[in-house]
């Protein structure tokens, strides 16, 4: 005969989701985060912490510290994970891209094919903002 377990025995490994110490600040930071992501702005953990500190100051919360622990809790409470941003094609101006392709043809028309290289966006990645925490 199987014994029935109490509810507390089943959840021994589960951690309790803690409520934020400053729920109004959390809501403010979450709203800003969603607006930034809607605009396809890359958002790092450091940027979220900086914004949280800024909002706390504006709200008069002098005892708030956006620590790594606060950030981890904020991400867990709001089910946020940092992943690579995809879909940059939505931000491309097709007319400008087509004009650039035509200008490029003119620029390389007198060049030998072995002297023309496709380096894609590699140079941009050197100074690119982080896409993950």
């Amino acid at each position: 005969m199987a014994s029935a377990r109490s509810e507390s025995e089943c959840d021994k490994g589960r951690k309790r989701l803690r409520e934020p110490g400053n729920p109004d600040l959390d809501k403010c930071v979450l709203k800003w985060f969603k607006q930034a992501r809607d605009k396809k702005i890359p958002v790092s953990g450091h940027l979220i912490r900086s914004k949280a500190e800024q909002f706390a100051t504006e709200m008069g919360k002098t005892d708030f510290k956006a620590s790594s622990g606060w950030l981890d809790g904020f991400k867990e409470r709001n089910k946020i994970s940092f992943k690579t941003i995809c879909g940059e094609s939505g931000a491309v101006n097709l007319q400008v891209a087509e004009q650039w392709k035509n200008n490029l043809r003119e620029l390389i028309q007198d060049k030998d094919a072995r002297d023309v290289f496709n380096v894609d966006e590699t140079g941009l990645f050197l100074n690119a903002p982080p896409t993950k925490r």
Side-chain angles (χ1 to χ4, degrees):
M1 182 166 139
S3 63
R5 292 186 190 175
S6 71
E7 190 175 320
S8 62
E9 287 178 315
C10 293
D11 294 335
K12 281 186 178 179
R14 181 182 288 175
K15 290 186 178 180
R16 181 176 67 113
L17 185 61
R18 299 181 74 187
E19 293 297 317
N22 297 291
D24 51 343
L25 178 63
D26 251 40
K27 286 179 187 175
C28 195
V29 175
L30 183 61
K31 182 177 179 180
W32 167 84
F33 175 80
K34 288 179 178 179
Q35 289 172 346
R37 297 300 298 151
D38 286 345
K39 294 177 185 175
K40 298 190 189 291
I41 297 171
V43 179
S44 66
H46 179 73
L47 184 56
I48 292 174
R49 290 171 60 186
S50 295
K51 275 297 186 183
E53 295 269 350
Q54 177 187 343
F55 290 145
T57 301
E58 291 172 5
M59 297 170 96
K61 298 183 183 293
T62 56
D63 59 336
F64 176 77
K65 178 72 176 142
S67 64
S68 295
W70 173 85
L71 177 63
D72 291 341
F74 176 78
K75 288 177 5 186
E76 187 175 335
R77 283 189 297 275
N78 296 293
K79 297 178 179 41
I80 295 172
S81 64
F82 293 130
K83 297 182 179 176
T84 304
I85 297 172
C86 299
E88 61 186 49
S89 61
V92 173
N93 182 330
L94 296 177
Q95 288 178 325
V96 172
E98 192 61 37
Q99 186 178 29
W100 172 246
K101 284 171 36 179
N102 293 332
N103 290 344
L104 182 60
R105 286 186 189 110
E106 291 176 22
L107 286 171
I108 63 173
Q109 69 184 0
D110 298 331
K111 307 292 184 229
D112 192 325
R114 66 181 178 193
D115 294 330
V116 178
F117 298 91
N118 179 2
V119 294
D120 198 23
E121 299 171 349
T122 305
L124 297 176
F125 290 124
L126 175 67
N127 296 317
T131 56
K132 294 183 181 177
R133 177 179 172 217

